[in-house]
Amino acid sequence: MPKSSASDLAVLGGAPLFDRPRSTSNLVSPDADAFLRYSRLFYEGGRHTNDEPVVRLMEQRFARFHGTHYCVAICNGFWALVLGIKALALPGRTEVLMPSLTYRRLADVVSWAGLVPRFCEVDRSSLAISPQRVEDEIGEQTALIIGVHPIVNCCDAPALEALSARHDIPLLFDGVESVYETVRGRKVGSFGFAECFSFHASKLMNGFEGGYLTTNDAALAERLRAMRDFGAGPDGGVAQWGTRAAMSEIHAAAALAALDGLEAQVVRNKARYRAYQRVLRGMTGVRLLEFDENERCSFKNIVVELTDEWPLSRDMTVACLNAERILARAYYSPPLHLKQAGYRTINKSLPLTEFLAQRFISMPCGHFVDETDIEAIAATLSLIAASAHAIEAAKDREA
Ligand SMILES: Cc1ncc(COP(=O)(O)O)c(C=O)c1O
């Protein structure tokens, strides 16, 4: 039943809009036959680990996909980042320059790599780390810069590359949310010294779990492989810092099946994105973040900004949506510099980041959200706006 009055809203006592939650996770299952076909390569050959035929195939296919020379499979995106940082950070220096409005575990990653996050301001329009502000922050202790591609579109990777070259500081990209995209026509994966990706089930390519790094540097690829496999040298002895962070064959099989189904998925994502464009056009106070269609886009993530004309706070709006089982999420909020961390970070006031961290919402998307859902979500958003007084009054009564 469509909702027509304030009392229909779940936050004011009505029944939730959906029986089954609609989430921001992609959760596309790789095609079962393709998954089993790839899995047979290791299962029937009896090579369950160590000789890794499927992981090797995955590395070849993903290097080709990104147009890079090397791809190094890792157990997940988190450890791919840790290894990338460990391999690239300038020795003897302590700090990593990174955005604060970003992946909620990125500071933990830096800490696991034994370094200290120094947070930087973002760019208002891209929401990505600002090259100008990175330049202001570079100092004697800067060991590495991490550029993270935001959820919609990409950061100015060429500008960051130029900056890295000018100051002779290595540059690592977190390309997890932009695995399919291009920047000025060049595929993500080939920027900086290396880029990192994830096969987490919520990502564009679902390997259930998993991750990898891409690079064009042969020595770096070899070093990353050694670090991933205990830090072992050619004779099997420990030659450098290492861990155990290999990807399993089963995850590589799922990732390959996901890659095979990717183009069809992008077509479906684009239809969902077009539906959001249609239903949000003209809605006062809501701005859909548009994909830059001059580039290659996955159209996976849907993010909206609540502008000054929107009558409720972002957090209250998210609470109203969640009550409807519309599992919208506050976009990268709180930013990392405002979070409690059990390790040292270097924070300063980041007013733009703090302002932006109150304005954006990641909306439901992916395989389990259809165009009818999107129409119902937009109608509910409109009703929430129209019911703002009633919602505020109910909140005051509760307080
Ligand atoms: C931007 C970004 N970087 C890195 C990661 C880490 O990937 P994983 O979940 O595979 O460890 C994530 C996961 O959510 C992410 O969103």
Side-chain angles (χ1 to χ4, degrees):
M1 272 286 284
K3 294 179 177 239
S4 56
S5 69
S7 59
D8 292 337
L9 290 172
V11 77
L12 296 176
L17 178 68
F18 294 123
D19 294 338
R20 176 178 55 76
R22 300 300 194 273
S23 92
T24 56
S25 290
N26 209 40
L27 300 178
V28 176
S29 300
D31 177 72
D33 290 336
F35 169 57
L36 292 174
R37 208 171 46 247
Y38 285 117
S39 299
R40 277 196 197 101
L41 294 176
F42 76 88
Y43 191 86
E44 289 176 357
R47 292 150 72 187
H48 298 176
T49 185
N50 286 349
D51 202 12
E52 303 172 340
V54 191
V55 168
R56 283 188 194 172
L57 180 62
M58 176 254 134
E59 289 183 334
Q60 283 163 16
R61 290 272 310 275
F62 278 80
R64 212 177 315 139
F65 172 73
H66 287 285
T68 54
H69 293 316
Y70 307 99
C71 165
V72 180
I74 308 285
C75 58
N76 54 43
F78 187 103
W79 279 95
L81 278 164
V82 175
L83 265 58
I85 296 168
K86 279 289 225 184
L88 289 172
L90 293 174
R93 299 195 181 188
T94 53
E95 294 175 10
V96 174
L97 291 183
M98 54 179 279
S100 170
L101 190 70
T102 193
Y103 167 47
R104 69 192 60 168
R105 296 290 168 212
L106 194 62
D108 301 0
V109 167
V110 172
S111 165
W112 270 101
L115 293 164
V116 180
R118 178 184 278 272
F119 298 114
C120 277
E121 196 54 285
V122 289
D123 176 74
R124 172 69 176 96
S125 59
S126 69
L127 305 183
I129 193 167
S130 150
Q132 291 75 28
R133 298 302 299 272
V134 171
E135 191 142 39
D136 297 343
E137 296 291 334
I138 289 174
E140 287 178 350
Q141 287 303 330
T142 309
L144 176 74
I145 300 165
I146 304 183
V148 190
H149 295 296
I151 285 188
V152 173
N153 298 321
C154 297
C155 52
D156 189 349
L160 288 168
E161 281 187 323
L163 183 94
S164 147
R166 225 169 27 249
H167 292 271
D168 222 359
I169 295 181
L171 173 64
L172 173 67
F173 280 102
D174 177 335
V176 165
E177 293 294 352
S178 295
V179 58
Y180 184 80
E181 332 293 280
T182 56
V183 181
R184 293 180 213 160
R186 189 172 135 200
K187 284 183 188 167
V188 165
S190 64
F191 287 97
F193 288 39
E195 297 207 50
C196 140
F197 300 91
S198 166
F199 289 134
H200 185 265
S202 62
K203 302 304 174 198
L204 185 71
M205 280 180 271
N206 176 4
F208 312 145
E209 283 285 357
Y212 62 99
L213 287 135
T214 52
T215 181
N216 284 320
D217 180 336
L220 176 62
E222 197 177 321
R223 177 133 193 253
L224 289 166
R225 279 182 215 290
M227 288 166 90
R228 173 192 71 187
D229 301 329
F230 304 107
D235 61 355
V238 172
Q240 60 182 310
W241 181 93
T243 182
R244 175 158 152 72
M247 180 189 277
S248 82
E249 291 287 276
I250 205 118
H251 293 109
L256 283 162
L259 181 59
D260 289 347
L262 181 60
E263 294 304 328
Q265 192 200 147
V266 171
V267 169
R268 292 192 297 271
N269 288 348
K270 189 169 179 178
R272 272 185 286 270
Y273 170 65
R274 291 277 180 261
Y276 269 109
Q277 278 183 315
R278 200 170 54 247
V279 297
L280 295 179
R281 194 169 295 134
M283 191 182 292
T284 305
V286 179
R287 180 177 77 87
L288 176 68
L289 263 59
E290 302 269 343
F291 284 91
D292 176 358
E293 296 195 35
N294 294 318
E295 304 286 357
R296 198 165 89 140
C297 312
S298 68
F299 299 101
K300 171 180 173 277
N301 299 309
I302 303 294
V303 178
V304 297
E305 178 175 9
L306 299 183
T307 67
D308 294 342
E309 286 132 315
W310 185 256
L312 286 168
S313 72
R314 192 276 315 276
D315 289 347
M316 178 54 76
T317 307
V318 168
C320 291
L321 291 169
N322 289 176
E324 305 292 349
R325 302 204 180 113
I326 301 169
L327 297 191
R329 294 279 176 250
Y331 177 94
Y332 289 147
S333 186
L336 303 184
H337 72 288
L338 297 183
K339 281 173 65 171
Q340 282 284 16
Y343 44 81
R344 192 160 90 86
T345 59
I346 299 171
N347 303 356
K348 46 195 269 182
S349 158
L350 299 173
L352 180 58
T353 291
E354 285 167 32
F355 169 74
L356 295 172
Q358 294 300 320
R359 283 176 86 86
F360 292 90
I361 303 181
S362 290
M363 298 298 288
C365 61
H367 209 58
F368 297 106
V369 177
D370 64 24
E371 292 182 31
T372 316
D373 296 338
I374 293 168
E375 281 164 19
I377 290 169
T380 307
L381 258 181
S382 292
L383 183 59
I384 289 170
S387 312
H389 286 306
I391 294 168
E392 293 283 14
K395 191 179 73 179
D396 290 347
R397 278 197 301 278
E398 261 172 37

